[in-house]
Amino acid sequence: MTQHAFIAADLGAESGRVTAGRLDPDAERLETRLIRRFPTGSLPVLGRLRWDVHRFREQIIDGMKECAGLFNGEIRSVGFDAWGVDYGLLSKDGGLAGLPVSYRDPRTKGIPDAFCESFPRRRLYDLSGVQILEFNTLFQLAALVREDRRALENAEALLFIPDLFNHLFSGSRISETTIASTSQMLNCRTRKWDAEIVRSLGIPERLLQSLVTPGTALGGLLPELSRRTGLEDCRVVAVGCHDTASAVAAVPAEGEDWAFISSGTWSLVGVEGREPVVTDAAFAFNMSNEAGVMGTVRTLKNVTGLWILQRLRESLPGASGLDYGAFAGLAAGRPDFRSLIDPDDPVFFNPPDMAE
């Protein structure tokens, strides 16, 4: 059988990476090589925390150039995954209407309570299956409706972060289901946009794009990018575009008696099944049901992951050069349980100085 070579571009809230891989079906072997890693992170622009997706794009292009000569030049596809909830708006000419706002921007403070005055929380949970978090796409859009409705009326399309990179590299305008499910606007049973939720939000419905499942080929690289990367026969494929969907799809487990912890800036703790769990108990515990690869559902809880350490690296003197192993070593040398904190306390969500 033919060996398949490909590129994976994975974007996280702290860093991004470009990896080349080759699957040998005969040997049942997957070979991967990390080609490039680069910092991401948000930055203040015009009063908002934003993602510099143009810089991320250039880093990915440079990584793809380095991949072009690998595996005898047999690379045939590239896929993008990223964190959930955040999005970019396209203008009518197809360009990006401003840098995407980060979910850690404070614009959504108090928005869930205001939205749920007219849309009951239990009904919202029953339809979407998604835990109510202040930064969900639904509440980001509700905040934008309140502060700058014209931006939505002038926009042509809304694309989640990995969908945006699919667009920047292939010209496609789609929403992949795993990333769309993080928005709290997708029906957890039908995996279609939920008309009741969307209409209550009051945004132009044209902004929401057609939904596709993981594995959908979106087309070749744009001609300019084929020339720049040296990849003339490379397609863009919608993978499990939510990074957690791809991570859990890669867990080497069989059967149904296993759980996962996928840890990055956030840690996602849960199980994978076939049906959403939207019981009263799941609602009380604020559990989430996200779409997975191959039609699965991940029932999980979002908890703080490495975020506090990421921010400590910025604010502690001399810490910027420390990796996580060094942090662990320093912690191991200190007295146990001298202090206890609740990592999910709102005070740690995005303080000016994490060490303080």
Side-chain angles (χ1 to χ4, degrees):
M1 296 176 66
T2 304
Q3 292 185 339
H4 302 279
F6 49 85
I7 297 170
D10 169 58
L11 291 169
E14 182 186 25
S15 67
R17 56 186 173 175
V18 177
T19 302
R22 177 168 59 184
L23 179 65
D24 184 343
D26 294 325
E28 296 185 342
R29 175 181 173 82
L30 174 65
E31 176 187 357
T32 63
R33 300 184 199 176
L34 177 61
I35 303 301
R36 173 174 288 247
R37 185 184 287 273
F38 55 92
T40 51
S42 55
L43 67 163
V45 179
L46 299 175
R48 293 289 177 216
L49 279 177
R50 299 179 185 270
W51 303 105
D52 187 358
V53 293
H54 299 302
R55 179 174 65 82
F56 305 166
R57 174 180 176 269
E58 290 304 305
Q59 289 284 347
I60 292 170
I61 290 170
D62 287 343
M64 291 174 69
K65 287 179 186 176
E66 297 175 49
C67 293
L70 296 177
F71 305 127
N72 299 317
E74 296 173 354
I75 290 173
R76 294 292 177 263
S77 65
V78 58
F80 302 91
D81 74 8
W83 65 92
V85 307
D86 285 346
Y87 63 89
L89 294 174
L90 298 185
S91 58
K92 290 180 170 56
D93 64 2
L96 193 59
L99 295 178
V101 176
S102 167
Y103 62 87
R104 290 198 188 268
D105 187 90
R107 66 176 175 168
T108 54
K109 191 171 182 60
I111 293 295
D113 288 340
F115 182 85
C116 291
E117 286 178 2
S118 58
F119 202 114
R121 286 174 180 259
R122 187 65 179 91
R123 177 64 176 166
L124 179 60
Y125 185 74
D126 187 60
L127 292 172
S128 69
V130 172
Q131 65 189 118
I132 294 177
L133 296 170
E134 198 165 62
F135 51 75
N136 287 346
T137 316
L138 175 66
F139 303 130
Q140 291 194 42
L141 288 170
L144 191 55
V145 167
R146 175 182 291 187
E147 71 182 25
D148 188 11
R149 188 180 185 88
R150 183 176 297 180
L152 290 166
E153 292 173 347
N154 291 338
E156 189 68 20
L158 180 152
L159 297 175
F160 300 100
I161 297 298
D163 296 332
L164 178 59
F165 280 86
N166 286 331
H167 170 72
L168 293 174
F169 280 77
S170 73
S172 66
R173 291 191 187 184
I174 55 88
S175 282
E176 186 275 323
T177 52
T178 69
I179 194 69
S181 73
T182 69
S183 69
Q184 206 156 39
M185 297 187 293
L186 203 71
N187 187 288
C188 64
R189 297 175 182 83
T190 66
R191 296 200 178 187
K192 299 182 183 300
W193 298 118
D194 190 278
E196 185 177 343
I197 297 174
V198 173
R199 287 169 187 165
S200 70
L201 187 56
I203 64 171
E205 292 187 34
R206 71 172 183 278
L207 295 178
L208 300 180
Q209 304 304 295
S210 298
L211 292 156
V212 302
T213 55
T216 301
L218 303 178
L221 286 175
L222 294 172
E224 172 206 352
L225 297 183
S226 289
R227 290 191 297 271
R228 288 187 61 186
T229 61
L231 296 166
E232 297 183 357
D233 189 23
C234 181
R235 297 180 302 166
V236 177
V237 175
V239 294
C241 288
H242 186 204
D243 52 10
T244 311
S246 279
V248 174
V251 172
E254 296 179 352
E256 299 179 353
D257 58 345
W258 57 277
F260 63 84
I261 302 175
S262 177
S263 193
T265 297
W266 294 94
S267 287
L268 298 311
V269 184
V271 296
E272 191 172 45
R274 286 290 165 186
E275 299 293 335
V277 180
V278 289
T279 60
D280 289 342
F283 175 67
F285 283 116
N286 207 22
M287 303 291 288
S288 220
N289 294 272
E290 299 173 350
V293 176
M294 302 297 290
T296 61
V297 177
R298 295 186 313 284
T299 301
L300 56 83
K301 183 73 174 178
N302 246 49
V303 298
T304 299
L306 296 171
W307 166 246
I308 293 176
L309 284 181
Q310 290 170 17
R311 291 296 307 279
L312 284 174
R313 290 171 70 177
E314 299 173 13
S315 57
L316 284 175
S320 61
L322 296 178
D323 61 21
Y324 293 120
F327 261 112
L330 289 171
R334 307 305 296 170
D336 291 343
F337 300 113
R338 187 179 69 177
S339 304
L340 295 174
I341 65 169
D342 174 7
D344 288 325
D345 190 289
V347 72
F348 299 117
F349 184 70
N350 198 20
D353 186 311
M354 186 63 80
E356 178 65 23

